[in-house]
């Protein structure tokens, strides 16, 4: 999926609006993750906190009535790139959120699709492929351990 420059700017602007809501202040640091919910029928891109409070939303015209089945996979890559760009520009350095925190892609039912970006003092996980197959490996290890 190819986005126009205007749509990309809207996504970047939405990320900055979320950052603005959590900029450093004298208030106690928040404990939250940021949930990102794209909607393929309306084109809306909504950002939520842990308590389902809507932080901001924008409409991405290319997403309105997107007909292909790979919607979330395409959006995942677009959002991951936008978040990485913001992270490399130190946009998240101003956030008053306790680390670690994540930016999480969710579907219409608020089910997690993917962790887009994990921000921690020592760890930056930008791709879930690192943990792929871990469950199977742990199950095999436990089975082997119990059999011996």
């Amino acid at each position: 999926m190819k986005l126009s420059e205007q749509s990309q700017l809207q996504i970047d602007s939405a990320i900055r609006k979320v950052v603005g809501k959590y900029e450093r202040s004298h208030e106690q640091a928040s404990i939250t993750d940021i949930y990102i919910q794209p909607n393929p029928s309306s084109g809306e891109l909504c950002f939520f906190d842990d308590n389902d409070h809507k932080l901001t939303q924008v409409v991405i015209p290319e997403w309105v009535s997107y007909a292909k089945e790979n919607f979330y996979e395409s959006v995942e890559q677009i959002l991951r790139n936008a978040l990485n760009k913001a992270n490399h520009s130190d946009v998240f350095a101003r956030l008053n959120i306790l680390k670690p925190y994540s930016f999480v892609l969710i579907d219409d039912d608020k089910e997690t699709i993917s962790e887009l970006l994990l921000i921690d003092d020592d760890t930056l996980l930008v791709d879930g492929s690192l943990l792929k197959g871990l469950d199977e490996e742990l199950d095999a290890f436990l089975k082997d351990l119990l059999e011996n």
Side-chain angles (χ1 to χ4, degrees):
M1 171 187 321
K2 182 106 169 116
L3 288 185
S4 68
E5 186 176 335
Q6 179 65 26
S7 293
Q8 190 61 52
L9 289 173
Q10 285 180 294
I11 293 171
D12 294 342
S13 175
I15 292 169
R16 291 181 188 280
K17 283 181 186 176
V18 169
V19 168
K21 294 187 187 268
Y22 290 105
E23 281 190 297
R24 294 203 184 276
S25 65
H26 296 293
E27 295 178 23
Q28 184 176 356
S30 298
I31 301 174
T32 191
D33 287 323
I34 311 255
Y35 297 90
I36 305 174
Q37 182 183 45
N39 186 317
S41 58
S42 69
E44 287 183 339
L45 178 65
C46 300
F47 292 74
F48 298 94
D49 65 11
D50 279 338
N51 297 319
D52 284 338
H53 294 120
K54 189 180 289 185
L55 303 171
T56 191
Q57 78 178 44
V58 294
V59 175
I60 308 301
E62 291 88 350
W63 295 354
V64 176
S65 301
Y66 186 78
K68 296 182 181 173
E69 290 184 21
N70 68 340
F71 175 74
Y72 286 109
E73 292 84 10
S74 298
V75 169
E76 179 179 351
Q77 191 58 46
I78 290 167
L79 294 174
R80 191 181 304 275
N81 290 341
L83 290 167
N84 283 327
K85 179 178 146 188
N87 188 47
H88 291 308
S89 300
D90 288 331
V91 170
F92 303 132
R94 301 187 312 255
L95 283 176
N96 194 23
I97 299 176
L98 290 177
K99 293 179 183 175
Y101 61 90
S102 298
F103 289 86
V104 180
L105 180 64
I106 59 174
D107 63 14
D108 290 337
D109 298 322
K110 303 217 188 246
E111 295 294 323
T112 297
I113 295 171
S114 173
E115 184 173 60
L116 299 170
L117 182 68
L118 170 69
I119 298 184
D120 195 354
D121 288 330
D122 299 326
T123 305
L124 175 64
L125 179 65
V126 293
D127 190 356
S129 65
L130 178 66
L131 298 177
K132 282 188 179 174
L134 182 63
D135 285 339
E136 292 82 14
E137 288 180 31
L138 288 174
D139 288 343
F141 172 76
L142 182 60
K143 181 180 177 186
D144 186 52
L145 189 64
L146 291 174
E147 287 176 354
N148 291 327

